[in-house]
């Protein structure tokens, strides 16, 4: 147990006194301080969550407009009108950006991480409550700035969510590359500032605010995932922030960081000496860790749920921790596999290819450990468990196509096709969203004091799970048949005609799958008021959030500081009075 020596006890006691002093403030009374400019990590977590919920429906609507244009290129929609090819590219840019930044990064880390990290480690709040509040509001302003790009002259940018120059660096390069592109870059920069503040908070909270007995190796794997994700964010978002500033300077101050001597619309640009590849290096040095920033919290949560609902200790706890650390480390060494098309040296390509294959090892360790936990367990198929198993399925299915793209000889013909779209949507996009759904169904009782409807949750799961495979698996076949991505329509190309029925099938399934998300939305808001009253520990789980009241009080534990005696996954312990041992239960029987 932490603090077993005299010096350790003194340090831990001093730390707890300091933490108590920082957070010994009364609950706020006014509406603004309680719900808008709140310092309470739980309210800030909810603010992040509902920001992401708004963003995901905006992102889904944009993707629906794209799918409609792909199969009915000449249709005129009410309010939207006719979608032109350049409008399609703007929709693509904004869909990708909103989903990656304001959904996949915001909900798992900012939402659930903010709400549950302090409670799971036995802290009263985050280490820096004011910084926490600022990080949300900077992120929120970034989101508003992003949406405002739709409403300026020229509209939203069409340079793709990766923002490759020289297209993104020259305001004259095309429609949407004027004020819309400036707003896009400013929004990304604001998001980076918010993410950096949040990352500092997460790291400090995890290292400094743990309760007595909560050693690092007694933390739930969710806390490890948020901690490692924060380290990745601290290292990656600073690079993207710098790149965004340089791109703004190229666009507005006449510099040439990313713009070479280039002809635009028949005129030589007033730039020379810049390198578009420099942007690719900076962007993907952020962009590949970003994949793990989106997926690691879902991995941690899936580990939690598989153990809770199998009634078994997680298989290989330490292996899971080291696998996540390895994924975080190796994630910074593989960015070049996004650049095999750039004409890089074959020796560099070989090095990045080997590192990309290597990152599959810790991912496989995690997958086999999840299966090892499920094997022989007394599985309870509640909705959080269904989404956790769905996450494992999508992670494996999306991951299998990764080694293909890790080979330069295969990536070069596949890179600019739907194969890549299918791959990253499965492994990064929808897998992470399944993690968000699983977290919502699992923690909703603790957050709102009511249970969500289990029957509606099952309908939601099956529509979403089947729909996801029916949308993104065929994209792999489209890619292998040579269907280019980012084309707004396939009607003008003879070799794409045989593939149009598959595109129509994907679009029809997308209608149904998106409609199914309104089942979730209804369940979420209906259950807040009319759902069955939840007990303090409805899932019979062991971690600290289930030891406190529902919903948790202002200081999380009602004035008492918990002491931890056990690991986070003590299920089916021989000799224990029930089939689970809480982390706060005195160690009366030998743990696993």
């Amino acid at each position: 147990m932490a603090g077993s020596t005299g010096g350790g006890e003194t340090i831990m006691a001093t730390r707890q006194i300091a933490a108590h002093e920082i957070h010994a403030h009364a609950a706020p009374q006014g509406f603004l301080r309680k719900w808008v400019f709140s310092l309470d990590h739980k309210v800030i977590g909810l603010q992040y969550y509902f920001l992401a919920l708004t963003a995901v429906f905006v992102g889904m609507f944009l993707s629906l407009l794209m799918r409609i244009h792909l199969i009915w290129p000449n249709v005129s929609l009410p309010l939207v009108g006719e979608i032109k090819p350049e409008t399609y590219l703007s929709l693509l840019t904004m869909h990708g950006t909103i989903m990656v930044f304001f959904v996949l990064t915001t909900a798992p880390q900012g939402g659930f991480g903010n709400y549950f990290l302090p409670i799971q480690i036995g802290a009263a709040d985050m280490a820096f409550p004011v910084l926490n509040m600022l990080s949300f509001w900077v992120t929120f302003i970034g989101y508003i700035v992003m949406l405002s790009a739709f409403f300026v002259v020229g509209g939203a940018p069409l340079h793709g969510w990766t923002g490759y120059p020289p297209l993104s660096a020259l305001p004259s390069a095309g429609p949407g590359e004027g004020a819309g592109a400036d707003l896009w870059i400013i929004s990304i920069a604001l998001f980076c500032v918010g993410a950096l503040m949040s990352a500092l908070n997460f790291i400090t909270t995890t290292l400094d605010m743990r309760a007595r007995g909560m050693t690092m190796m007694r933390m739930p794997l969710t806390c490890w995932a948020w901690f490692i994700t924060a380290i990745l964010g601290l290292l990656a978002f600073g690079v993207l922030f710098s790149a965004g500033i340089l791109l703004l300077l190229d666009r507005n101050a006449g510099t040439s960081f990313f713009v070479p001597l280039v002809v635009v619309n028949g005129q030589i640009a007033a730039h020379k000496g810049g390198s578009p590849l420099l942007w690719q290096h900076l962007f993907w040095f952020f962009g590949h860790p970003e994949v793990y920033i989106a997926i690691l919290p879902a991995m941690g949560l899936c580990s939690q749920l598989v153990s809770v609902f199998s009634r078994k200790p997680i298989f290989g706890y330490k292996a899971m921790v080291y696998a996540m650390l390895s994924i975080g480390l190796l994630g910074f060494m593989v960015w070049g596999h996004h650049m095999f098309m750039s004409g890089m040296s074959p020796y560099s390509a070989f090095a990045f290819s080997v590192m990309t294959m290597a990152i599959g090892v810790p991912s496989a360790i995690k997958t086999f450990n999840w299966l090892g936990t499920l094997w022989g367990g007394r599985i309870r198929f509640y909705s959080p468990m269904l989404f956790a198993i769905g996450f494992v399925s999508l992670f494996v299915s999306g991951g299998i196509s990764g080694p293909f793209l890790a080979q330069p000889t295969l990536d070069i013909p596949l890179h600019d096709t739907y194969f890549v779209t299918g791959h990253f949507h499965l492994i990064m996009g929808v897998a992470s969203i399944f993690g968000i759904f699983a977290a919502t169904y699992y923690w909703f009782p603790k957050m709102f004091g009511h249970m969500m409807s289990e029957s509606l949750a099952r309908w939601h799961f099956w529509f979403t799970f089947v729909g996801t495979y029916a949308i993104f698996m065929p994209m792999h076949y489209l890619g292998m048949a040579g269907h280019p991505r980012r084309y707004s329509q396939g009607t003008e190309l003879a070799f794409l005609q045989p593939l149009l029925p598959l595109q129509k099938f994907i679009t029809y399934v997308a209608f149904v799958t998106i409609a199914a998300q309104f089942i979730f939305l209804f369940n979420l808001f209906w259950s807040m008021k009319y759902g069955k009253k939840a007990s303090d520990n409805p899932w019979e789980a062991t971690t600290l959030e289930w030891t406190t009241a529902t919903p948790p009080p202002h200081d999380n534990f009602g004035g008492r500081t918990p002491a931890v005696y056990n690991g986070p996954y003590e299920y089916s312990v021989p000799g224990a009075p029930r089939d689970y041992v809480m982390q706060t239960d005195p160690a009366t029987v030998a743990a696993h």
Side-chain angles (χ1 to χ4, degrees):
M1 187 174 76
S4 57
T5 63
E9 285 178 354
T10 306
I11 293 168
M12 188 65 80
T14 307
R15 181 186 293 168
Q16 285 179 331
I17 291 166
H20 180 75
E21 289 297 323
I22 292 168
H23 300 293
H25 49 77
Q29 300 303 317
F31 176 81
L32 279 177
R33 178 51 87 185
K34 189 173 183 181
W35 295 111
V36 183
F37 300 110
S38 176
L39 301 181
D40 186 347
H41 70 97
K42 298 183 289 298
V43 176
I44 294 168
L46 291 174
Q47 289 173 325
Y48 269 116
Y49 180 81
F50 285 111
L51 171 65
L53 189 67
T54 308
V56 79
F57 277 88
V58 172
M60 279 197 304
F61 176 67
L62 299 179
S63 69
L64 199 60
L65 293 178
M66 289 160 60
R67 293 301 326 168
I68 289 169
H69 181 73
L70 275 168
I71 65 169
W72 298 301
N74 300 316
V75 73
S76 183
L77 299 169
L79 301 178
V80 178
E82 186 182 344
I83 298 173
K84 299 175 183 174
E86 59 268 30
T87 311
Y88 176 89
L89 292 176
S90 292
L91 295 172
L92 183 148
T93 302
M94 299 299 276
H95 165 76
T97 309
I98 288 170
M99 286 299 205
V100 168
F101 290 96
F102 296 101
V103 179
L104 303 181
T105 308
T106 297
Q109 186 78 357
F112 294 110
N114 251 310
Y115 198 109
F116 285 103
L117 174 73
I119 308 180
Q120 286 199 330
I121 63 172
D125 206 319
M126 294 292 266
F128 309 116
V130 175
L131 199 67
N132 205 18
M133 177 190 72
L134 288 174
S135 68
F136 167 74
W137 283 105
V138 170
T139 305
F140 177 78
I141 293 167
Y143 177 61
I144 298 302
V145 171
M146 181 64 69
L147 292 183
S148 68
F150 281 114
F151 304 104
V152 295
V153 177
L158 45 69
H159 52 231
W161 79 274
T162 53
Y164 277 13
L167 182 58
S168 63
L170 298 168
S172 60
E177 291 306 309
D182 280 332
L183 289 170
W184 183 86
I185 300 164
I186 291 166
S187 170
I188 298 293
L190 286 169
F191 185 89
C192 291
V193 172
L196 288 168
M197 291 193 287
S198 180
L200 285 169
N201 224 342
F202 272 78
I203 293 167
T204 310
T205 303
T206 308
L207 293 178
D208 268 9
M209 306 284 289
R210 299 192 308 278
R212 184 165 61 89
M214 180 62 81
T215 61
M216 294 290 277
M217 283 299 170
R218 279 181 177 167
M219 290 198 310
L221 288 168
T222 45
C223 297
W224 271 107
W226 291 320
F227 176 58
I228 295 165
T229 301
I231 295 171
L232 295 184
L234 190 65
L235 298 172
F237 280 110
V239 175
L240 183 64
F241 178 67
S242 306
I245 290 173
L246 298 184
L247 189 57
L248 273 177
L249 290 173
D250 272 11
R251 292 175 54 80
N252 300 295
T255 58
S256 293
F257 293 106
F258 306 123
V259 187
L261 189 63
V262 65
V263 175
V264 182
N265 298 326
Q267 293 187 332
I268 297 176
H271 297 263
K272 63 180 180 179
S275 169
L277 287 183
L278 173 60
W279 170 267
Q280 291 193 34
H281 280 294
L282 293 173
F283 182 87
W284 288 117
F285 188 80
F286 146 81
H288 202 83
E290 166 62 24
V291 172
Y292 299 111
I293 288 169
I295 204 77
L296 273 171
M299 286 180 171
L301 177 80
C302 175
S303 307
Q304 182 96 352
L305 298 188
V306 164
S307 179
V308 170
F309 292 99
S310 296
R311 313 312 292 169
K312 278 179 65 184
I314 193 75
F315 185 90
Y317 173 90
K318 287 188 177 179
M320 296 291 253
V321 171
Y322 295 135
M324 283 196 286
L325 287 165
S326 303
I327 287 169
L329 178 65
L330 292 170
F332 281 101
M333 301 181 187
V334 298
W335 81 91
H337 71 212
H338 296 271
M339 298 171 58
F340 288 151
M341 296 281 282
S342 67
M344 68 163 62
S345 155
Y347 300 106
S348 300
F350 176 74
F352 283 121
S353 177
V354 170
M355 295 308 296
T356 305
M357 297 297 284
I359 208 167
V361 175
S363 300
I365 288 170
K366 294 193 72 62
T367 303
F368 287 125
N369 283 17
W370 289 325
L371 296 177
T373 308
L374 289 168
W375 187 268
R378 301 194 308 282
I379 300 175
R380 300 175 176 178
F381 287 106
Y382 291 115
S383 50
M385 183 61 156
L386 290 176
F387 276 98
I389 295 172
F391 166 82
V392 176
S393 170
L394 290 165
F395 181 71
V396 172
S397 302
I400 284 172
S401 54
F404 291 92
L405 298 171
Q407 312 305 319
T409 48
L410 290 173
D411 180 74
I412 287 170
L414 289 173
H415 186 88
D416 200 31
T417 71
Y418 268 85
F419 190 93
V420 172
T421 311
H423 162 71
F424 76 72
H425 274 87
L426 277 182
I427 196 164
M428 178 190 174
V430 196
S432 178
I433 283 177
F434 264 59
I436 295 168
F437 285 140
T440 303
Y441 287 117
Y442 179 62
W443 278 316
F444 185 91
K446 183 55 64 175
M447 294 157 76
F448 298 105
H450 296 272
M451 303 295 289
M452 292 181 77
S453 164
E454 195 64 26
S455 56
L456 286 177
R458 288 169 189 273
W459 280 106
H460 173 228
F461 169 76
W462 286 111
F463 272 120
T464 308
F465 184 70
V466 175
T468 294
Y469 271 106
I471 292 168
F472 297 114
M473 269 302 171
M475 288 188 182
H476 291 80
Y477 309 135
L478 286 173
M480 287 186 280
H483 196 311
R485 54 187 171 129
R486 299 192 178 186
Y487 274 34
S488 64
Q489 57 199 70
T491 48
E492 277 71 29
L493 298 167
F495 84 97
L496 294 182
Q497 298 306 311
L499 301 176
L500 281 177
L502 199 51
Q503 286 281 25
K504 287 183 178 178
F505 170 76
I506 292 172
T507 301
Y508 297 146
V509 175
F511 286 146
V512 176
T513 309
I514 288 175
Q517 305 320 304
F518 288 94
I519 299 174
F520 168 76
L521 203 63
F522 171 78
N523 195 0
L524 183 76
F525 288 106
W526 183 86
S527 300
M528 283 183 194
K529 189 168 184 182
Y530 301 109
K532 191 179 87 174
K533 196 79 174 158
S535 64
D536 286 347
N537 189 3
W539 310 120
E540 297 183 324
T542 61
T543 44
L544 294 184
E545 74 268 32
W546 305 107
T547 64
T548 186
T550 302
H554 174 66
D555 65 351
N556 295 339
F557 296 97
R560 61 180 180 81
T561 304
V564 174
Y565 301 97
N566 302 295
Y569 304 112
E570 299 300 339
Y571 296 99
S572 305
V573 178
R578 53 194 177 186
D579 84 330
Y580 62 102
V581 177
M582 303 295 290
Q583 285 197 279
T584 52
D585 288 350
T588 53
V589 295
H592 283 291

